């Protein structure tokens, strides 16, 4: 019974202070994988996109359009959608299960598509899965957040 208070103090300290990439090699690898994903999406490099996206990718855009690995890679590689800005406002990682990471937060995204330009702040939930020892991008779902000038 004496170990229980010590365990609770350790658990509270662990959950109170968030990990940073410098504190945890898994978090550092995941952060690097996400930076590589953003760079690949901005460049439209088919090989890099193929390497970072899971074969099971489900990418639900804020518009309601849902892409697979194949369809999203094609859209980016052919420049039908061009990401010109991708700046995180907030990005947090949690690890709900072994080899699964959730990424939540908001990001300022600027894109050009065949239908026009999008300049939005998005709230998002992303899922990463470790596949064969490598973090792969499994899922994305986002929604547009109101700007300071838009009514809530």
């Amino acid at each position: 019974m004496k170990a229980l208070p010590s365990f609770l103090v350790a658990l509270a300290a662990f959950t109170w202070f968030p990990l940073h990439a410098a504190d945890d090699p898994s978090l550092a690898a995941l952060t690097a994988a996400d930076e590589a994903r953003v760079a690949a999406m901005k460049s439209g490099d088919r090989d890099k996109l193929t390497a970072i996206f899971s074969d099971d990718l489900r990418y639900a855009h804020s518009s309601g359009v849902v892409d697979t690995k194949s369809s999203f890679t094609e859209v980016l590689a052919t420049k039908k959608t061009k990401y010109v800005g991708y700046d995180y406002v907030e990005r947090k990682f949690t690890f709900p299960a072994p080899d699964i990471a959730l990424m939540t937060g908001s990001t300022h995204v600027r894109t050009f598509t065949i239908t026009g330009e999008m300049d939005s702040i998005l709230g998002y939930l992303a899922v990463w899965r470790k596949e064969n020892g490598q973090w792969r991008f499994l899922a994305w779902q986002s929604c547009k957040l109101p700007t300071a000038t838009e009514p809530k």
Side-chain angles (χ1 to χ4, degrees):
M1 267 326 221
K2 290 181 182 181
L4 185 58
S6 297
F7 172 76
L8 292 176
V9 168
L11 180 61
F14 179 75
T15 58
W16 184 262
F17 299 105
L19 287 177
H20 299 283
D23 302 327
D24 183 333
S26 293
L27 187 56
L30 188 55
T31 301
D34 189 53
E35 296 297 328
R37 174 191 66 89
V38 171
M41 287 175 56
K42 289 171 78 174
S43 73
D45 184 307
R46 189 180 301 273
D47 291 337
K48 290 179 181 176
L49 293 165
T50 299
I52 199 75
F53 290 164
S54 171
D55 290 344
D56 300 322
L57 178 68
R58 175 179 163 68
Y59 197 100
H61 299 268
S62 62
S63 65
V65 172
V66 177
D67 274 306
T68 63
K69 177 180 183 173
S70 176
S71 64
F72 196 39
T73 299
E74 185 66 18
V75 163
L76 295 171
T78 60
K79 309 286 194 247
K80 289 180 182 172
T81 295
K82 175 73 174 146
Y83 283 81
V84 294
Y86 204 108
D87 303 304
Y88 285 110
V89 177
E90 179 182 26
R91 177 175 60 175
K92 293 181 188 175
F93 294 101
T94 57
F95 299 86
D99 298 333
I100 295 290
L102 301 180
M103 183 174 78
T104 58
S106 58
T107 186
H108 181 199
V109 175
R110 291 173 309 283
T111 63
F112 290 104
T113 69
I114 56 174
T115 59
E117 180 181 358
M118 181 189 82
D119 187 346
S120 298
I121 304 291
L122 304 177
Y124 65 86
L125 168 64
V127 182
W128 288 85
R129 179 172 63 190
K130 196 174 265 189
E131 299 174 4
N132 298 318
Q134 176 183 336
W135 286 109
R136 306 283 300 274
F137 195 64
L138 179 64
W140 172 271
Q141 187 156 354
S142 63
C143 64
K144 291 181 183 176
L145 299 176
T147 62
T149 58
E150 294 176 350
K152 292 184 180 184

